Amino acid sequence: MPSSTGPSIDTITEGGRVTQVGEGQEAEETSPPVVTFGAPTAGEVLAERYELVEHINNDSAGRLVWRGVDVILRRPVAVVLRYPGGDSATEMLQAAVAASRVIHPNLVGVYDAIDEDDRAYVVREWVDGQSLRELVAADGPLDPARATAIGSAVASALAAVHATGMVHGNVHPGTVMISDDARVVLADARTDGADSQENDLRAVGGVLYFALTGHWPHGEAPLHGATAGHGRAALPDAVRDAGGAIAAPRQVRAGVPAYLDDLTMDLLDPEIAPPSSDVLSAELNRLDIPADEHFLEQAGPLRFTADTEDEPSPLAAAGGRKVALGIAGLLAVALVGLLIGISALGGDDKDKTKEPVSQPTSSAPAAGGTSAPAAPVGKLTIQDVRIIDPESRDRAEVRNAEKVIDGDPNEGWETASYRNNGKFGGLKKGMGIWIDLGAPRTVKSIKATLSSTGASAELRAGKKDDFASSSAGDKALVAAYTERIGQPFEEHDGTTMVFDGFNPEAKYQYLLFWITELPEKEGGGGWKLGVQELTVEGS
């Protein structure tokens, strides 16, 4: 059985005392007290083993919550009693029995479930801690790293549940528990035939959204198992536009990384099938978000117009920050063009009688009056290659990079197979292959031989090579390689991409072949791409 080192049920601090609310559900402050004939009293021993010590409160479903002690193992427990037992307690007992069969550090420990006809009770772990709902209510929205860690723990718990074929059916901020020693535990599984594993995964998106914004995205039309009932009605609704669409986390608050924002919104999008719980857990677990990450938004939040008669903000409706940045970029380009034009006109006024000054070029005569011979163009030796995967680490996808330069087009490196869509299943922005030519070289063309058609990719250049081989290092590398050279390919209809048209006076040592979209596998069943060979020509 799991140890009693983490929370089994929701906790509320009242007057310095930690109290626990049964099975992860918040107590309704307006709920009348439950008066039960023959109710248990302090000191009573249930099943000749569980001594009741203190009546804590009644949960929102009317169950009595007691702090108790297992007199055999001498450990504290929580005892949740329901009157009567029998058929009316079947769902509670079945859920407890099912939960007890799945042992996982991120799942509440269920010790016993007993039906005595006139009453039924479930014995769970007793721990000190608080629910995600209370944590956010007290401290405000969480930083991205902590929100990601909580989402990863919840997804990991669901992966264990789903592996048995079961469904949790009750994932929300009240059933996500954080103990005083930072253990994250998912409590209060339910057995309802209307629930599904997909709904569990949608609810993880809701948990991430709530952790990042302090708002609950399911509103008045929630997913089953993530409703606003049982104490969840008090959760603040998400910011919405006039049509009811929710704002993305990055539009509600600053500092949310783009890929975490995208993942959260994809999980909430009914048009995008979610990944399996084990894949989601792995991706969240691999996300590494340093507090000083360069791409954390520092500007104030952009919000949708409230659900009034006013028209929603056109920036919000069209994508908010992306549109704002695009407009800013266009203005910057226009300003640069204006300055160049002014400079050119000014030069004509001042120097109309002057002869043009010749500029040095690579073909200019060398000392002594003879021309330097042009370096011969040919295949360049690639000194080193590495797979760049900024949103993951320690996975099979980063192996076999050397196969793309071994001269054998029949064997290469390939991505994993992703479900849902060609954008890496909505889990990442892209992957790539980093190339080191050993020294600055003039590059004429770069050819990528691929396993199938339909891929999208681009070529980038950078000047830094001091990045660690880790998730954080890959993020820094991708962020630094902002110079796009050659033409990009979108859903390319061939298996060979040739990047050319480079500046003949520029020299490159470090290049990044960056894949932005995968092609669908022949016959369906996922999206995947293999890079068979990379060759560079130049001098």
Side-chain angles (χ1 to χ4, degrees), residues 322-367:
K322 293 180 181 178
V323 175
L325 289 178
I327 293 173
L330 290 175
L331 290 175
V333 171
L335 179 59
V336 171
L338 179 61
L339 292 175
I340 292 173
I342 292 173
S343 176
L345 290 174
D348 285 345
D349 290 340
K350 294 178 182 179
D351 302 320
K352 288 180 179 179
T353 60
K354 292 184 179 180
E355 293 294 328
V357 179
S358 61
Q359 300 295 326
T361 66
S362 58
S363 60

Side-chain angles (χ1 to χ4, degrees), residues 11 46 57 81 102 211 223 248 268 335 380 394 426 457 480 511 529:
T11 60
L46 306 180
N57 56 18
L81 297 101
V102 185
L223 295 167
L268 297 173
L335 179 59
L380 299 179
D394 298 330
L511 301 166
L529 178 66

Side-chain angles (χ1 to χ4, degrees), residues 443-465:
V443 178
K444 180 181 180 182
S445 67
I446 297 177
K447 182 173 72 173
T449 304
L450 309 177
S451 61
S452 59
T453 63
S456 298
E458 61 190 30
L459 189 66
R460 302 183 183 183
K463 298 180 180 180
K464 298 181 179 179
D465 65 336

Side-chain angles (χ1 to χ4, degrees), residues 290-485:
D292 59 349
E293 192 66 83
H294 70 280
F295 50 71
L296 294 188
E297 185 70 66
Q298 299 301 320
L302 171 65
R303 297 182 180 275
F304 281 120
T305 301
D307 191 5
T308 65
E309 295 181 357
D310 298 332
E311 289 295 322
S313 163
L315 285 182
R321 178 172 173 270
K322 293 180 181 178
V323 175
L325 289 178
I327 293 173
L330 290 175
L331 290 175
V333 171
L335 179 59
V336 171
L338 179 61
L339 292 175
I340 292 173
I342 292 173
S343 176
L345 290 174
D348 285 345
D349 290 340
K350 294 178 182 179
D351 302 320
K352 288 180 179 179
T353 60
K354 292 184 179 180
E355 293 294 328
V357 179
S358 61
Q359 300 295 326
T361 66
S362 58
S363 60
T370 59
S371 299
V377 175
K379 182 177 178 181
L380 299 179
T381 300
I382 297 176
Q383 299 293 331
D384 191 19
V385 290
R386 180 158 62 86
I387 305 303
I388 302 300
D389 193 2
E391 295 170 38
S392 299
R393 61 187 177 194
D394 298 330
R395 58 188 299 172
E397 275 184 296
V398 300
R399 302 171 187 163
N400 302 321
E402 68 282 355
K403 291 184 178 180
V404 304
I405 58 172
D406 62 0
D408 183 0
N410 297 316
E411 187 177 33
W413 165 80
E414 62 183 9
T415 70
S417 180
Y418 289 84
R419 298 192 295 176
N420 306 326
N421 58 63
K423 298 287 188 180
F424 293 88
L427 300 174
K428 60 181 74 174
K429 292 295 186 182
M431 290 184 68
I433 303 174
W434 176 79
I435 302 169
D436 179 6
L437 297 177
R441 310 296 294 268
T442 299
V443 178
K444 180 181 180 182
S445 67
I446 297 177
K447 182 173 72 173
T449 304
L450 309 177
S451 61
S452 59
T453 63
S456 298
E458 61 190 30
L459 189 66
R460 302 183 183 183
K463 298 180 180 180
K464 298 181 179 179
D465 65 336
D466 55 347
F467 301 104
S469 181
S470 66
S471 176
D474 284 359
K475 290 175 186 175
L477 188 148
V478 173
Y481 281 48
T482 57
E483 181 186 357
R484 290 172 173 80
I485 60 176

Side-chain angles (χ1 to χ4, degrees), residues 59-75:
D59 73 9
S60 58
R63 290 168 289 204
L64 285 67
V65 183
W66 281 74
R67 178 171 62 87
V69 174
D70 184 335
V71 297
I72 296 178
L73 298 180
R74 306 308 303 172
R75 65 180 174 185

Side-chain angles (χ1 to χ4, degrees), residues 186-322:
L186 183 59
D188 189 21
R190 298 165 71 175
T191 55
D192 188 329
D195 289 316
S196 68
Q197 293 186 0
E198 179 176 334
N199 286 345
D200 279 350
L201 292 161
R202 302 288 187 199
V204 176
V207 167
L208 283 170
Y209 191 96
F210 181 81
L212 291 168
T213 68
H215 295 270
W216 185 239
H218 297 303
E220 297 179 357
L223 295 167
H224 186 80
T227 65
H230 296 301
R232 284 160 284 183
L235 294 176
D237 187 23
V239 179
R240 299 175 183 272
D241 66 9
I246 63 173
R250 299 186 86 194
Q251 295 174 303
V252 177
R253 61 170 289 202
V256 179
Y259 54 83
L260 183 58
D261 181 273
D262 290 343
L263 174 58
T264 300
M265 294 303 290
D266 284 351
L267 288 172
L268 297 173
D269 188 345
E271 300 299 322
I272 300 177
S276 62
S277 51
D278 56 342
V279 170
L280 178 60
S281 173
E283 292 304 324
L284 285 168
N285 186 54
R286 293 182 181 111
L287 289 181
D288 182 11
I289 309 175
D292 59 349
E293 192 66 83
H294 70 280
F295 50 71
L296 294 188
E297 185 70 66
Q298 299 301 320
L302 171 65
R303 297 182 180 275
F304 281 120
T305 301
D307 191 5
T308 65
E309 295 181 357
D310 298 332
E311 289 295 322
S313 163
L315 285 182
R321 178 172 173 270
K322 293 180 181 178

